[in-house]
Amino acid sequence: MTVSHPVVPGKVLVIVIDGVQGKAKVAEAVEHGFTIVETAKGKTARIKFEESELF
């Protein structure tokens, strides 16, 4: 598998490559907070976003 994705100015992207399922997923990271990749039994299960605010 080959993955090619352009760099997008002004955005932070997370590319998850799952060799077990043979899939690649692209998600945009939140501006402030956490982007969490959860796995189950060695496979990507979900991508979770926890957004927060800076004071």
Side-chain angles (χ1 to χ4, degrees):
M1 175 195 282
T2 301
V3 178
S4 176
H5 196 280
V7 175
V8 181
K11 293 188 177 187
V12 175
L13 300 175
V14 178
I15 300 174
V16 179
I17 301 171
D18 187 337
V20 175
Q21 295 181 16
K23 296 180 181 179
K25 299 176 184 184
V26 178
E28 185 176 342
V30 294
E31 190 171 339
H32 299 288
F34 299 98
T35 302
I36 302 166
V37 178
E38 292 186 22
T39 60
K41 297 183 182 178
K43 300 178 183 177
T44 303
R46 70 179 64 128
I47 300 175
K48 188 171 161 184
F49 304 98
E50 291 185 16
E51 198 162 357
S52 60
E53 196 173 317
L54 292 176
F55 290 101

